[in-house]
Amino acid sequence: MRFYNTLTRRLEEFREIEKGRVGLYTCGPTVYDFPHIGNFRSYLFEDLVKRFLLFSGYRVRHVMNITDIDDKTIRKANELKVPLAEVTQKYIAAFHADLRALNTLPADAYLRATEHIPEMVHLVSALLEKGYAYRKDGSVYFSIERFKEYGRLANLDRASLKTGAAANAAADADEYEKEAAQDFVLWKGKKPGEPSWPAPFGEGRPGWHIECSAMSMKYLGPHFDIHMGGVDNIFPHHENEIAQSECANGVTFVNYWLHCQHLIVDGMKMSKSLGNFYTLGDLLAKGYAPMAVRYLLISSHYRKLLNFTLEGLEMAAQALARIKNFIFSLKHVEIEGGADPELAAAVAASLDAFGASLADDFNVSGALGVMFDLIADVNPRMNALTRGDAAGILAYMDRVNAVLGILEPGDEGPLDAEIEARIALREKARREKDFARADEIRAELKKQGIILMDTPAGVRWKKE
RNA sequence: GGCGGCGUAGCCAAGUGGUAAGGCAGCGCUCUGCAAAAGCGCUAUUCAUCGGUUCAAAUCCGGUCGCCGCCUCCA
């Protein structure tokens, strides 16, 4: 498999550090508000990458950080006049609920910054000892002139950074004094109204970037395979992580950096500061299914801007319905018999093509095209399939879904006795040619989310 | 100012040198008591635009137009 490495700005063949295993770190949320669908585009892409690694036979160790101590979380707690933990706990719970609704595979660990303060203190101490950091007015800063690689990930040169940051530094001069305008903070000295922890270099709290260096090191080691996040993380967050980690450990931090492009809404940039964002809850309240949201967010290429619209969400829901109808039909195949070898070979070839498409920089659109081609190939002969054929194709769909995660298990529960009675009543009406009555019952069941289909083999039903 | 991305049918979207995947929507038809599902047929001589290279260009090169991102809040 190959994909685009932000660090080298080219497509690279993936080579894991330890055979068959992948260490994966994904930047998680800052829990000061409800996550929006833009956040979930990134998390769903990360989930897709992880699922494809698993599909390809790798064992994946995946950790995600949760930033529960920073300027924004503190500000929110102070605004609401409640303890910080109360704010963060609420949004952490909301985050996990949405991840579940969107059918993401859980990470091996979700790491909270506040639960890793000692590790961060230790890392800052190490950077001070090695001379990469300096103390100033109770805070500790990283000196980027000590790290000659600084700016490599973001493709920025240090000279232009200096110019760009100078204006900002003037505006922030009352906040912190720094030796060089572009240096970044590792540890913020204690301030009134902020949580703080003791440290050898003075009581205070961690800067934003240090948590990811400290926690990834602890759970994945100083050198691991893949680090992911949204494109906005490239600079400064990931650039700073590299500086901290490589200076402290003296080894390469991460081999592959993968960044997901943003989404916009109705053509406009989406951000919390503009307030034009949808949460998952907003969309569910409008009656859209979480799986339609997932389908839409993963179905276009991760390095391209995605323009989110409700019309697009509707199209995603319809595409999903086509897939679900296909599976529904396969499950109702009734002709006994084994699988046709020619068909089985076509299915196997389709799965190969599906994987090959994803192996080429996660081309989900191409992979979906492969799957829909198979659907279009099978549908015309649906009525001639044997159970053996159907089982093979259903197994194929399971494999496809192991990567895409767009189909939930157990869509068809057992029918309520009352609903079954209604269906029987309608069948009786139909036999008696009382179609008005039959249609009335069908309409009533539709209101309950039950769709009836009259087929030559008898009535079938499904949930909407 | 520096760095980078995008522009393919009504909509969404693959395709990065060999003659335009796929999904949605639409129209006609088949099946059906009617629906639903499914199927069949139709829907881009053309890939923002101009020029160049090539036997061959949506794909490579150059210009132009338009949109967007990053350059210490952001997934």
Side-chain angles (χ1 to χ4, degrees):
Chain A
M1 104 176 47
R2 61 172 193 163
F3 45 77
Y4 185 86
N5 188 351
T6 306
L7 189 63
T8 56
R9 289 181 291 283
R10 65 210 306 175
L11 291 172
E12 290 182 17
E13 191 64 25
F14 177 63
R15 298 268 179 256
E16 70 274 32
I17 295 167
E18 187 186 341
K19 188 168 169 50
R21 291 170 184 268
V22 178
L24 174 66
Y25 189 94
T26 60
C27 272
T30 300
V31 283
Y32 69 106
D33 203 348
F34 291 106
H36 56 65
I37 53 170
N39 300 120
F40 286 117
R41 183 187 190 193
S42 287
Y43 303 137
L44 288 174
F45 172 58
E46 290 158 4
D47 186 56
L48 182 93
V49 168
K50 176 179 167 182
R51 284 170 175 270
F52 186 62
L53 288 165
L54 293 167
F55 174 92
S56 305
Y58 291 102
R59 290 181 64 179
V60 178
R61 180 159 173 78
H62 170 211
V63 299
M64 176 183 267
N65 68 298
I66 290 179
T67 302
D68 60 351
I69 170 81
D70 83 318
D71 292 352
K72 291 194 289 292
T73 47
I74 291 169
R75 192 187 315 133
K76 186 91 172 198
N78 288 342
E79 276 168 15
L80 300 175
K81 296 184 167 52
V82 298
L84 180 63
E86 192 173 307
V87 168
T88 58
Q89 197 51 53
K90 174 182 171 181
Y91 295 118
I92 288 169
F95 174 65
H96 285 303
D98 285 355
L99 284 185
R100 274 194 300 277
L102 289 169
N103 198 26
T104 61
L105 299 177
D108 293 286
Y110 294 94
L111 312 171
R112 297 190 195 187
T114 54
E115 291 174 357
H116 296 82
I117 301 291
E119 288 86 345
M120 292 188 243
V121 167
H122 182 77
L123 182 56
V124 173
S125 294
L127 288 168
L128 277 167
E129 276 164 31
K130 295 189 177 188
Y132 292 107
Y134 58 91
R135 298 165 68 169
K136 182 107 179 170
D137 299 331
S139 295
V140 181
Y141 296 90
F142 186 94
S143 175
I144 67 166
E145 69 172 21
R146 295 295 317 281
F147 184 52
K148 65 179 190 313
E149 294 277 283
Y150 194 82
R152 185 178 163 211
L153 179 72
N155 196 25
L156 298 168
D157 68 57
R158 306 227 300 271
S160 76
L161 280 177
K162 232 169 240 172
T163 318
N168 273 316
D172 293 339
D174 59 327
E175 295 270 330
Y176 293 110
E177 293 297 324
K178 304 181 195 179
E179 285 181 4
Q182 69 274 32
D183 289 346
F184 60 92
V185 68
L186 295 170
W187 186 261
K188 299 190 178 193
K190 179 176 168 61
K191 289 206 283 189
E194 292 191 351
S196 63
W197 289 263
F201 35 81
E203 181 152 341
R205 64 177 172 95
W208 173 37
H209 313 294
I210 197 73
E211 65 180 66
C212 288
S213 287
M215 298 192 296
S216 63
M217 192 183 303
K218 177 174 180 179
Y219 294 91
L220 299 173
H223 176 209
F224 59 94
D225 298 290
I226 303 175
H227 193 129
M228 300 180 67
V231 287
D232 53 283
N233 282 147
I234 295 171
F235 194 88
H237 187 52
H238 289 164
E239 192 72 61
N240 293 352
E241 281 184 50
I242 292 172
Q244 294 162 344
S245 298
E246 299 200 348
C247 289
N249 297 322
V251 297
T252 298
F253 177 39
V254 168
N255 283 163
Y256 302 90
W257 290 87
L258 273 168
H259 292 98
C260 185
Q261 184 52 265
H262 281 353
L263 67 69
I264 55 178
V265 174
D266 296 326
M268 303 272 286
K269 184 187 175 182
M270 170 162 167
S271 74
K272 288 186 180 179
S273 57
L274 286 178
N276 66 337
F277 66 88
Y278 288 111
T279 64
L280 181 62
D282 293 335
L283 297 173
L284 301 190
K286 289 177 186 291
Y288 296 101
M291 289 301 93
V293 176
R294 182 178 172 105
Y295 185 101
L296 178 59
L297 294 184
I298 67 171
S299 60
S300 59
H301 193 84
Y302 74 97
R303 287 194 284 124
K304 281 192 173 178
L305 207 58
L306 168 63
N307 185 19
F308 181 93
T309 62
L310 292 181
E311 188 192 3
L313 189 53
E314 188 58 47
M315 293 192 294
Q318 289 306 119
L320 202 49
R322 178 164 165 85
I323 299 168
K324 285 162 83 168
N325 284 329
F326 179 65
I327 290 173
F328 181 84
S329 297
L330 287 170
K331 285 184 174 171
H332 285 84
V333 164
E334 283 174 353
I335 300 172
E336 296 294 343
D340 169 42
E342 204 174 303
L343 178 61
V347 170
S350 179
L351 190 62
D352 286 346
F354 176 83
S357 191
L358 287 166
D360 185 13
D361 200 27
F362 307 107
N363 184 350
V364 179
S365 302
L368 283 168
V370 168
M371 179 196 69
F372 278 114
D373 280 342
L374 184 80
I375 291 177
D377 190 35
V378 170
N379 259 331
R381 24 180 181 157
M382 188 62 77
N383 292 333
L385 294 186
T386 64
R387 284 191 171 167
D389 293 326
I393 300 164
L394 285 167
Y396 164 92
M397 293 304 292
D398 272 348
R399 289 291 286 155
V400 164
N401 191 235
V403 182
L404 301 178
I406 51 179
L407 304 167
E408 291 162 300
D411 260 351
E412 307 162 56
L415 270 190
D416 226 55
E418 199 218 323
I419 291 173
E420 267 185 79
R422 308 283 299 162
I423 292 175
L425 212 59
R426 174 170 173 276
E427 283 305 282
K428 181 166 176 289
R430 288 182 72 214
R431 277 195 303 277
E432 291 165 1
K433 306 279 184 209
D434 183 359
F435 296 119
R437 177 68 185 137
D439 291 350
E440 189 186 319
I441 295 171
R442 182 168 64 193
E444 285 168 9
L445 285 170
K446 184 163 194 312
K447 279 184 191 162
Q448 297 174 47
I450 303 292
I451 308 283
L452 297 186
M453 289 166 288
D454 299 317
T455 75
V459 65
R460 289 176 188 171
W461 66 275
K462 65 177 179 181
K463 287 185 181 166
E464 212 161 16

